[in-house]
Amino acid sequence: AFAVAWSSEANEGGTDPNIGIVARRFNGDATAQTAEVLVNQTTANAQNNAAVALDGSGNLIVVWDSPNVDASGSAILQRRFN
């Protein structure tokens, strides 16, 4: 099995700069296991540069960066799916 994640305008209304992170799991033969899932829970600002991994238990982990999260500027965010 494997997973992919990408930035998409379509999942947050199609207007820049509100770009979201989307992920999807696939079987080893490349058939989809899941529908596309919106990963980020905060929709303000752009969400960019997604990276994805599956841990030893098969949980999906997605990380990405988002500008202007707080006074420190950009932040690296993550979300884990069972």
Side-chain angles (χ1 to χ4, degrees):
F2 65 96
V4 295
W6 64 95
S7 297
S8 175
E9 291 181 18
N11 287 292
E12 289 195 2
T15 58
D16 194 32
N18 295 325
I19 298 170
I21 301 296
V22 180
R24 191 168 192 181
R25 291 183 198 227
F26 294 87
N27 293 318
D29 65 359
T31 57
Q33 280 185 350
T34 65
E36 294 178 4
V37 176
L38 182 63
V39 175
N40 55 292
Q41 294 173 306
T42 300
T43 57
N45 302 312
Q47 317 296 314
N48 300 302
N49 304 313
V52 64
L54 295 172
D55 69 13
S57 299
N59 297 311
L60 175 66
I61 301 165
V62 183
V63 296
W64 68 96
D65 69 68
S66 181
N68 306 317
V69 172
D70 57 26
S72 67
S74 291
I76 304 297
L77 305 170
Q78 66 87 27
R79 188 166 177 198
R80 179 178 163 218
F81 297 88
N82 294 331

